[in-house]
Amino acid sequence: MTTDVPQTAAGESRETEGREMHALVERLYPLCRSITGDGLRRTLEIVSGEIPLEISEVPTGTEVLDWTVPREWNIRDAYVKDASGDRVIDFAESNLHVVGYSVPVSATMTLDELRGHLHTLPDQPDLIPYRTSYYAETWGFCLRENTLAAMGPGPYEVKIDSTLADGHLTYGEHVVPGRSTDEVIISCHVCHPSLANDNLAGVAVATRLARRLAESDPHYTYRFVFAPGTIGAITWLARNRERVDRVKHGLVLACAGDSGSLTYKRSRRADAEIDRAVRHVLRSSGREHTVVDFSPYGYDERQYCSPGFNLPVGSLTRTPYAGYPEYHTSGDNPDFVSPEAMADTLETCWEVTRVLEGNRRYLNLSPYGEPQLGRRGLYGSLGGRSDTKQTQMAMLWVLNLSDGEHTLLDIAEQSNLPFATVAEAAQALRGAGLLKE
Amino acid sequence: MTTDVPQTAAGESRETEGREMHALVERLYPLCRSITGDGLRRTLEIVSGEIPLEISEVPTGTEVLDWTVPREWNIRDAYVKDASGDRVIDFAESNLHVVGYSVPVSATMTLDELRGHLHTLPDQPDLIPYRTSYYAETWGFCLRENTLAAMGPGPYEVKIDSTLADGHLTYGEHVVPGRSTDEVIISCHVCHPSLANDNLAGVAVATRLARRLAESDPHYTYRFVFAPGTIGAITWLARNRERVDRVKHGLVLACAGDSGSLTYKRSRRADAEIDRAVRHVLRSSGREHTVVDFSPYGYDERQYCSPGFNLPVGSLTRTPYAGYPEYHTSGDNPDFVSPEAMADTLETCWEVTRVLEGNRRYLNLSPYGEPQLGRRGLYGSLGGRSDTKQTQMAMLWVLNLSDGEHTLLDIAEQSNLPFATVAEAAQALRGAGLLKE
Amino acid sequence: MTTDVPQTAAGESRETEGREMHALVERLYPLCRSITGDGLRRTLEIVSGEIPLEISEVPTGTEVLDWTVPREWNIRDAYVKDASGDRVIDFAESNLHVVGYSVPVSATMTLDELRGHLHTLPDQPDLIPYRTSYYAETWGFCLRENTLAAMGPGPYEVKIDSTLADGHLTYGEHVVPGRSTDEVIISCHVCHPSLANDNLAGVAVATRLARRLAESDPHYTYRFVFAPGTIGAITWLARNRERVDRVKHGLVLACAGDSGSLTYKRSRRADAEIDRAVRHVLRSSGREHTVVDFSPYGYDERQYCSPGFNLPVGSLTRTPYAGYPEYHTSGDNPDFVSPEAMADTLETCWEVTRVLEGNRRYLNLSPYGEPQLGRRGLYGSLGGRSDTKQTQMAMLWVLNLSDGEHTLLDIAEQSNLPFATVAEAAQALRGAGLLKE
């Protein structure tokens, strides 16, 4: 598919976009995010430097659908010190070392006493797992199995300097206004601490997609939602319940930067326009890819596709949820994601928006027999171009199927031609007065 | 699929059930059954010893749909004696030796004269074929090709001591009453003489299925029909024409004991609930199996699925109709069927009834976003069990698809989870007030 | 599929038909056809000798749908002579040597000046290509690459003795009247000069199909249209616009004589009765074959299936459009097509008409249970024939599916039985009073 990438004022290329997205991942990586708290706030602040965000702060205790906004969690330091005062486990080294939402603790205990609060990955002894306990009050440390193996019987000084108190849940939105109030939402979870692919890469791709769209005079209004997983999406839905019918298409963007091929998970509707658009882009691009049916597990498509909302929102990832060994471990660091993979994800998202933006249903105004293209300069008129034959085939397909029933995306799918070629053919035919909308 | 097998008062296990079914096959095997007559009556009498039967006797000449109940056939003895008085062919050795519904004969004839009345299987020279001629008056003997080859030119004394006279067609019914008058019918043909798989095994499985159901407080009323093939099913349909709309699901059970894998033949409707239930049970059990489309040939599904009735009745067999070399020969003897195979068929039937009984359409009462399972003790609450993860997935699926459109069977199929798991999840969610029927 | 081929008065066999069709191809081959002109007229005159044609002459300038009938083109001679007066390129040797619709030219020019008017096939250096320029005024010669390679720098005497002037577009029709005014159209393009498979073979097959149909007392009226490609079909459609709704089924017949297997291209409707009939014939015949979806490129199905008409017209070819190396070259000569291949195409067309003619929707008058076939002499009544079992299965299928919803073609497809067997079974059942139409 040929695409028309707007060049920014700075003239940045796709390669530049890739590098910048990776730089953003690296900048966001050290912050200790959670579903609430200052790490999340600081993350949204940095994203605001890329694309302006409208920030919402929702107080603890607010009822949101079936849920309640929890207390806000913040953490300053945490460690397990051995008898010689060395930090055997140190929050400053990696924020994954502390179980998310751990309550404060300050105690001295033996390894045996401590063991019930330690989490390791015996099969991946060099990696720190990522664990949270949002709704059951507890505390814990995550560490390398190899570290645990080397720990003596203790005693250890155990400290988690955290607070769990009334506060707020924070989320951010960026809107690219379109000519229509119909919306496309792009939703990224921003609640994970130092995990690069899950989901800083998705956040980075979203920022560049927003920038491209801003320069494209779009038909749709594009809303980017950066919110903590589950509770954030639920909060957003609760606060936008009366206006979600504006959402005509949507994508949950996650795991956007690993080296695997793209995976699209269909919306609950299964054949919504977004589902067909993404499938078409993936197929016609020749990219290796996978399309899977909706299932009520994964990222925030779970909420958007709950039966009461049933929004046409699919999920685009590279390697999907829990599908790579580094998933939810310290192995998911900035080296795990690449500028090239993020650029490829971005390009795919962009092409999907090209389909959504360009999809129309036309009516052939000369439907009896084929109209004579030659006398209108449409036949062979593009002689010097390598895609002439394909464009002429596209014109015949558009004429044949523009009966008021088929959209350009239908035609692209039925003809096995790229959407851009079909849209270009339709444009030429419309220019010649052979089609009306 | 986990199933909840009721233990009888006697505490009999599946193994016991298998042994008992095989013992019943052995007991019924020697009787000379036909579509009418005392062999059929005696068979139903023995079955009555397992599960009580209501016996119907329909007089010769009764018009039943497009057919007429034929004269009753009974046979006492039959033989072909050689010059030295030895019985070369002897009904007492195997009732297959006489063509079913043979008229009486008492004559002396040479082999050449006799030959037109002799039936063998040249390709299976050690087996006696099974032949009948219900509606064209004739007589004949079936014998091993090897026996025929050794027969001299005769003369032979030929005797068939049978009667073909006005009488009755007999069939039996057993009803397991349910809370609803909606019925599930299980239909077995009982007209074949000494053939074990076709259909004593089916009869035996039906008796044990009835016993299990009797202890299960079923929703549906289960009606077991033991009738001669074709004319028996037609007679039953003729006499129940006004009430067949009570039949919501049905299975024709045949060839239930051979060593082959299970085959399900869909009802004429193709996607009736019974069709989907059996397919689901076979798939989710991991059993090797085959599902084939309806065809108007085979057993009494031909009658139940005739276009005027078009009942949702499929057919469950192991190796299907005419699919094994021993089919309709003396090779289909009690050694050809096994306790294990009958127990497996029984288990499958039972699981199918579990799906029919448990299939419901629920409505998610908290359809906007996912309800918070954790606060209701539903998330991780089953921690110690190995199927926890599957049960939690099942809860998410049930919540997501319980929109008033999908049944639990739909959800099991879409989620690729066993029905029992889905039903258990629905039960838990209903207990938590998250679902209503 | 067994078929009932009418034997003509002359008693001609299929082999004779094949030979005669090939003789017709050879006779038509030398004529210089185009979309207008005397070669086209002479072609239709010769076809008239096989089956009477009604000839239409449509004046230049007539508006036909979106097109205008062009000027008439005729050519008497053309050549390129070298200095010694030898014809290096000679129209008399092959009419492919001149670009169709070339305007007159008479000049002396060097090879370099001439080169822009010369067309060769560098990859097939021994073949003359076929080129036309109907709607852009120009002239040119087509020649073997090997001829061009041997040509010196010139000068050459260049002559095309053609006229492009007001005249007529000619097409012919042959009608086999049926008992109904509903029509089946068989359409063949007749505008190509010396190309045998494309489409003299199609023309030849059509003549024999017409002859067979004339002796078959058909239900449908069969209309054979022999018209130039595109503009001819458009002209026919324009002049028959008010009556095209009589067209219930149709086939565009082309490339009917090469050695490849048959290809059927579906109508735009995709599942019209003609689509299902051809597919059934191809499948049940056991012929190797291909069925492809409609696309708006190829032969005159493009016009019949334009969205305004959307007629149920498919296209039957052997190797399809542009699918063989000899396509549109001098390699497509009478040796390229065979009597056997044309006979096979003819047989297929004939069998398709058997399905169209015989397809009915019956109602089983005894739909409750199976009717007793034996007492009506329908069961085993055909004992001596090898197809007895298949016919009895067909009777059961017809009875089971004749519920007012299924046609005999539906039943043939669902039962996987040949249509002829199903139709024969229906005939027998109807004779016994078991079916009504």
Side-chain angles (χ1 to χ4, degrees):
Chain A
M1 176 174 286
T2 62
T3 58
D4 199 22
V5 182
Q7 299 295 312
T8 66
E12 66 189 13
S13 69
R14 291 180 195 181
E15 198 183 321
T16 307
E17 285 177 314
R19 274 201 309 269
E20 288 182 355
M21 290 188 285
H22 198 268
L24 180 58
V25 168
E26 288 184 316
R27 194 164 164 215
L28 294 171
Y29 181 72
L31 297 171
C32 184
R33 279 164 291 276
S34 188
I35 54 173
T36 60
D38 289 332
L40 173 55
R41 270 187 204 94
R42 176 65 187 139
T43 296
L44 296 176
E45 189 176 294
I46 291 173
V47 172
S48 282
E50 306 287 325
I51 52 174
L53 295 187
E54 178 184 353
I55 302 295
S56 297
E57 295 276 356
V58 185
T60 296
T62 305
E63 296 197 355
V64 286
L65 304 178
D66 188 63
W67 301 60
T68 305
V69 172
R71 286 181 289 170
E72 182 176 328
W73 184 67
N74 284 290
I75 180 167
R76 287 157 293 281
D77 195 9
Y79 54 81
V80 173
K81 273 188 192 165
D82 63 16
S84 59
D86 287 340
R87 290 187 169 202
V88 182
I89 308 173
D90 186 1
F91 174 73
E93 183 225 345
S94 167
N95 54 44
L96 297 182
H97 275 313
V98 175
V99 169
Y101 262 64
S102 280
V103 294
V105 63
S106 184
T108 300
M109 45 181 81
T110 65
L111 179 60
D112 279 350
E113 291 166 325
L114 186 55
R115 207 178 285 272
H117 292 274
L118 299 183
H119 306 274
T120 66
L121 295 168
D123 294 341
Q124 298 169 292
D126 284 325
L127 298 179
I128 310 166
Y130 164 54
R131 294 280 186 279
T132 66
S133 183
Y134 300 133
Y135 300 100
E137 277 197 19
T138 184
W139 61 268
F141 286 89
C142 299
L143 67 161
R144 298 175 182 86
E145 173 71 16
N146 286 342
T147 304
L148 176 59
M151 283 172 72
Y156 291 97
E157 183 191 342
V158 177
K159 176 77 178 180
I160 296 180
D161 178 13
S162 67
T163 47
L164 189 54
D166 283 357
H168 295 81
L169 177 146
T170 316
Y171 66 84
E173 289 173 274
H174 173 79
V175 172
V176 179
R179 300 186 300 277
S180 165
T181 56
D182 287 346
E183 290 192 4
V184 180
I185 58 167
I186 310 290
S187 179
C188 300
H189 66 278
V190 287
C191 50
H192 288 184
S194 292
L195 297 172
N197 197 39
D198 182 14
N199 187 29
L200 301 177
V203 170
V205 168
T207 63
R208 259 49 192 178
L209 181 62
R211 281 203 193 170
R212 284 197 187 184
L213 287 164
E215 298 178 24
S216 72
D217 183 25
H219 166 77
Y220 289 108
T221 292
Y222 288 80
R223 179 176 301 273
F224 292 78
V225 178
F226 301 95
T230 304
I231 186 67
I234 282 168
T235 301
W236 185 88
L237 282 164
R239 290 160 58 100
N240 291 277
R241 195 159 170 174
E242 300 310 316
R243 50 187 301 288
V244 288
D245 59 346
R246 292 194 198 171
V247 177
K248 303 306 179 195
H249 320 284
L251 280 180
V252 167
L253 205 52
C255 301
D258 67 84
S259 61
S261 60
L262 286 157
T263 296
Y264 178 67
K265 175 177 160 183
R266 290 189 182 92
S267 78
R268 185 178 182 274
R269 298 185 184 187
D271 63 349
E273 192 172 341
I274 184 70
D275 300 318
R276 298 176 58 234
V278 179
R279 185 184 59 179
H280 177 75
V281 166
L282 290 173
R283 276 190 192 168
S284 69
S285 73
R287 283 178 180 89
E288 191 187 339
H289 68 275
T290 310
V291 176
V292 300
D293 283 336
F294 178 76
S295 61
Y297 207 55
Y299 293 106
D300 285 328
E301 66 276 11
R302 295 165 65 164
Q303 310 310 327
Y304 298 117
C305 296
S306 56
F309 293 113
N310 197 24
L311 295 176
V313 174
S315 166
L316 186 68
T317 61
R318 301 193 73 84
T319 304
Y321 171 83
Y324 44 94
E326 296 83 355
Y327 175 79
H328 276 198
T329 74
S330 53
D332 181 4
N333 57 47
D335 291 342
F336 184 65
V337 302
S338 72
E340 294 73 25
M342 286 188 279
D344 182 65
T345 306
L346 170 61
E347 193 59 28
T348 299
C349 291
W350 173 249
E351 292 176 9
V352 169
T353 65
R354 293 315 84 198
V355 175
L356 297 176
E357 290 284 322
N359 198 18
R360 296 279 184 288
R361 183 177 277 112
Y362 288 106
L363 197 65
N364 177 349
L365 295 171
S366 182
Y368 293 95
E370 288 173 11
Q372 194 180 5
L373 298 179
R375 107 174 116 82
R376 293 176 174 87
L378 293 174
Y379 198 70
S381 65
L382 307 167
R385 299 180 45 178
S386 64
D387 59 354
T388 299
K389 190 162 184 225
Q390 209 178 42
T391 303
Q392 291 187 7
M393 283 301 294
M395 284 193 279
L396 294 175
W397 276 107
V398 170
L399 287 167
N400 193 273
L401 292 179
S402 288
D403 54 4
E405 296 295 317
H406 298 86
T407 64
L408 294 184
L409 178 54
D410 293 329
I411 297 171
E413 291 192 322
Q414 200 161 330
S415 66
N416 210 20
L417 291 169
F419 181 85
T421 306
V422 169
E424 183 184 9
Q427 208 51 39
L429 293 167
R430 200 185 175 194
L434 286 168
L435 294 183
K436 76 166 182 185
E437 211 164 338
Chain B
M1 178 174 283
T2 61
T3 58
D4 198 23
V5 182
Q7 299 295 312
T8 65
E12 69 191 9
S13 69
R14 291 179 195 182
E15 197 182 323
T16 308
E17 285 176 314
R19 274 200 310 269
E20 288 182 353
M21 289 188 285
H22 198 267
L24 181 58
V25 168
E26 288 185 315
R27 194 165 164 215
L28 295 170
Y29 181 72
L31 298 171
C32 184
R33 280 163 293 275
S34 186
I35 55 172
T36 60
D38 289 333
L40 173 54
R41 269 185 205 96
R42 177 64 187 139
T43 296
L44 296 176
E45 191 176 292
I46 291 173
V47 172
S48 284
E50 306 288 325
I51 53 173
L53 296 187
E54 180 185 351
I55 302 295
S56 297
E57 295 275 357
V58 185
T60 296
T62 305
E63 295 197 354
V64 286
L65 304 179
D66 188 63
W67 301 59
T68 305
V69 172
R71 286 182 291 170
E72 182 176 329
W73 184 67
N74 283 291
I75 181 166
R76 287 156 293 280
D77 195 9
Y79 54 81
V80 173
K81 273 188 192 165
D82 63 17
S84 60
D86 287 341
R87 290 187 169 202
V88 181
I89 309 173
D90 186 0
F91 174 73
E93 184 226 344
S94 168
N95 55 44
L96 296 181
H97 274 313
V98 175
V99 170
Y101 262 64
S102 279
V103 294
V105 63
S106 183
T108 301
M109 46 181 79
T110 64
L111 179 59
D112 279 351
E113 292 165 325
L114 185 55
R115 206 179 286 272
H117 293 274
L118 299 183
H119 305 273
T120 66
L121 295 167
D123 293 342
Q124 296 169 294
D126 284 325
L127 298 180
I128 310 167
Y130 165 54
R131 294 281 186 280
T132 65
S133 182
Y134 301 134
Y135 300 99
E137 278 198 16
T138 185
W139 62 268
F141 286 90
C142 299
L143 67 161
R144 296 175 183 87
E145 173 71 18
N146 286 342
T147 304
L148 176 59
M151 284 172 72
Y156 290 95
E157 183 191 341
V158 177
K159 177 76 178 181
I160 297 181
D161 178 14
S162 66
T163 47
L164 190 53
D166 283 357
H168 295 81
L169 177 146
T170 315
Y171 66 84
E173 290 172 273
H174 172 80
V175 172
V176 179
R179 301 186 300 277
S180 164
T181 56
D182 288 346
E183 289 192 3
V184 180
I185 57 167
I186 311 290
S187 179
C188 300
H189 65 280
V190 286
C191 52
H192 287 183
S194 291
L195 297 172
N197 197 38
D198 183 14
N199 189 28
L200 301 178
V203 170
V205 169
T207 63
R208 259 50 193 179
L209 181 60
R211 282 203 193 169
R212 284 198 187 183
L213 287 163
E215 299 177 26
S216 72
D217 184 25
H219 167 77
Y220 289 109
T221 292
Y222 288 80
R223 179 176 301 272
F224 291 79
V225 178
F226 301 95
T230 305
I231 186 67
I234 282 168
T235 301
W236 185 87
L237 282 164
R239 290 161 57 100
N240 291 278
R241 196 160 168 171
E242 301 310 315
R243 52 186 299 288
V244 288
D245 59 345
R246 292 193 199 170
V247 178
K248 302 308 180 195
H249 321 284
L251 278 180
V252 167
L253 204 51
C255 301
D258 67 84
S259 61
S261 61
L262 286 157
T263 296
Y264 178 67
K265 175 177 159 183
R266 289 189 183 94
S267 78
R268 184 179 183 276
R269 299 185 184 186
D271 63 349
E273 191 172 341
I274 184 70
D275 300 318
R276 299 176 58 232
V278 179
R279 185 183 60 178
H280 177 75
V281 166
L282 290 173
R283 277 190 191 167
S284 70
S285 73
R287 284 178 180 89
E288 190 188 341
H289 68 275
T290 309
V291 176
V292 300
D293 283 336
F294 177 77
S295 61
Y297 206 58
Y299 294 105
D300 285 328
E301 66 275 10
R302 294 164 65 163
Q303 311 309 328
Y304 299 116
C305 296
S306 55
F309 292 114
N310 197 24
L311 295 176
V313 175
S315 167
L316 186 68
T317 62
R318 301 193 73 83
T319 305
Y321 171 83
Y324 45 96
E326 296 82 356
Y327 175 78
H328 276 198
T329 75
S330 53
D332 181 3
N333 57 46
D335 290 343
F336 184 65
V337 301
S338 72
E340 294 73 24
M342 286 187 280
D344 183 64
T345 307
L346 170 61
E347 193 59 29
T348 300
C349 292
W350 173 250
E351 291 176 9
V352 169
T353 66
R354 293 315 84 198
V355 175
L356 297 176
E357 291 284 322
N359 198 18
R360 295 277 185 287
R361 183 178 278 111
Y362 287 105
L363 197 65
N364 176 348
L365 295 171
S366 182
Y368 293 94
E370 288 173 11
Q372 193 180 8
L373 298 179
R375 106 173 116 83
R376 293 176 176 87
L378 293 175
Y379 200 70
S381 65
L382 307 167
R385 298 179 48 177
S386 64
D387 59 353
T388 298
K389 189 159 187 229
Q390 209 178 41
T391 303
Q392 289 188 7
M393 282 302 293
M395 284 194 279
L396 294 175
W397 275 106
V398 170
L399 287 167
N400 193 273
L401 293 179
S402 289
D403 53 5
E405 297 295 317
H406 298 85
T407 65
L408 294 184
L409 179 54
D410 293 329
I411 297 170
E413 291 191 323
Q414 200 161 329
S415 66
N416 210 19
L417 290 169
F419 181 84
T421 306
V422 169
E424 183 184 10
Q427 208 51 38
L429 292 167
R430 199 184 175 194
L434 286 168
L435 295 183
K436 76 165 181 186
E437 211 164 339
Chain C
M1 177 176 282
T2 62
T3 59
D4 198 21
V5 182
Q7 298 296 310
T8 67
E12 66 188 14
S13 69
R14 290 178 195 183
E15 197 182 322
T16 307
E17 285 177 314
R19 275 201 308 271
E20 288 183 354
M21 289 188 285
H22 198 267
L24 180 58
V25 168
E26 288 184 315
R27 197 167 162 211
L28 295 170
Y29 181 71
L31 297 172
C32 184
R33 279 164 293 276
S34 187
I35 55 172
T36 60
D38 290 332
L40 173 55
R41 271 187 202 93
R42 177 63 187 142
T43 295
L44 296 176
E45 191 177 289
I46 291 174
V47 172
S48 283
E50 305 288 326
I51 52 173
L53 296 187
E54 180 185 352
I55 302 295
S56 297
E57 295 276 358
V58 185
T60 296
T62 305
E63 296 197 353
V64 285
L65 305 178
D66 189 62
W67 301 59
T68 305
V69 172
R71 284 181 292 169
E72 182 176 329
W73 183 67
N74 282 292
I75 180 165
R76 287 156 294 279
D77 196 8
Y79 53 81
V80 172
K81 272 188 194 165
D82 64 16
S84 59
D86 287 341
R87 292 188 168 201
V88 182
I89 309 174
D90 186 1
F91 174 73
E93 184 226 343
S94 168
N95 54 43
L96 296 182
H97 274 313
V98 175
V99 169
Y101 262 65
S102 280
V103 294
V105 64
S106 184
T108 300
M109 45 180 81
T110 65
L111 179 59
D112 279 352
E113 291 166 325
L114 185 55
R115 207 179 285 272
H117 293 274
L118 300 183
H119 305 273
T120 66
L121 296 167
D123 293 342
Q124 298 169 293
D126 284 325
L127 298 179
I128 311 166
Y130 165 53
R131 294 281 187 278
T132 66
S133 183
Y134 301 135
Y135 299 100
E137 278 198 17
T138 185
W139 60 270
F141 287 90
C142 299
L143 68 160
R144 296 175 184 86
E145 173 71 17
N146 286 342
T147 303
L148 176 60
M151 284 171 72
Y156 291 96
E157 182 191 342
V158 178
K159 177 76 178 179
I160 297 182
D161 177 13
S162 66
T163 47
L164 190 53
D166 284 358
H168 294 82
L169 177 147
T170 315
Y171 66 84
E173 290 173 273
H174 172 80
V175 171
V176 179
R179 301 186 301 278
S180 165
T181 56
D182 287 346
E183 290 191 3
V184 180
I185 58 167
I186 311 290
S187 180
C188 300
H189 65 280
V190 287
C191 51
H192 287 183
S194 293
L195 297 172
N197 196 38
D198 184 13
N199 189 27
L200 301 178
V203 171
V205 168
T207 63
R208 260 49 194 178
L209 181 60
R211 282 202 193 170
R212 284 196 187 184
L213 287 164
E215 299 177 25
S216 72
D217 183 26
H219 166 78
Y220 288 109
T221 292
Y222 288 80
R223 180 176 301 272
F224 291 78
V225 178
F226 301 96
T230 304
I231 185 68
I234 282 169
T235 301
W236 184 88
L237 282 164
R239 291 161 57 100
N240 291 277
R241 194 158 170 176
E242 301 309 315
R243 51 187 299 288
V244 289
D245 58 345
R246 292 193 199 171
V247 177
K248 303 307 180 196
H249 321 284
L251 278 180
V252 167
L253 204 52
C255 301
D258 66 84
S259 61
S261 61
L262 287 157
T263 297
Y264 179 67
K265 175 177 158 181
R266 289 189 183 93
S267 77
R268 184 178 183 275
R269 297 186 184 186
D271 64 348
E273 192 171 342
I274 184 70
D275 300 318
R276 299 176 58 232
V278 179
R279 185 184 59 179
H280 177 75
V281 166
L282 291 172
R283 276 189 191 168
S284 70
S285 73
R287 284 178 180 88
E288 191 188 339
H289 67 275
T290 310
V291 176
V292 299
D293 283 336
F294 177 77
S295 62
Y297 206 58
Y299 293 107
D300 284 329
E301 66 276 10
R302 294 164 65 164
Q303 310 309 329
Y304 299 117
C305 297
S306 55
F309 293 114
N310 197 24
L311 295 176
V313 174
S315 167
L316 186 68
T317 61
R318 302 195 71 84
T319 305
Y321 171 84
Y324 44 95
E326 297 83 356
Y327 175 78
H328 277 198
T329 75
S330 54
D332 181 3
N333 56 47
D335 291 343
F336 184 65
V337 301
S338 72
E340 294 73 24
M342 286 188 280
D344 183 64
T345 307
L346 171 61
E347 193 59 29
T348 300
C349 291
W350 174 250
E351 291 176 11
V352 169
T353 66
R354 294 315 82 199
V355 175
L356 298 176
E357 290 284 321
N359 198 18
R360 296 276 185 289
R361 183 177 277 111
Y362 288 106
L363 196 66
N364 177 349
L365 296 171
S366 182
Y368 293 94
E370 288 174 11
Q372 194 180 5
L373 298 179
R375 104 174 119 83
R376 293 175 176 88
L378 294 173
Y379 199 69
S381 65
L382 307 166
R385 299 180 46 176
S386 65
D387 60 353
T388 298
K389 185 153 191 235
Q390 209 177 40
T391 302
Q392 290 187 7
M393 283 301 294
M395 285 194 279
L396 295 175
W397 275 106
V398 170
L399 287 167
N400 193 273
L401 293 179
S402 288
D403 53 5
E405 297 294 318
H406 298 85
T407 65
L408 294 184
L409 178 53
D410 293 330
I411 297 170
E413 291 192 321
Q414 200 161 329
S415 66
N416 211 19
L417 291 169
F419 181 85
T421 306
V422 169
E424 184 184 10
Q427 208 51 38
L429 292 167
R430 199 184 176 195
L434 285 168
L435 294 183
K436 76 166 182 186
E437 210 164 338

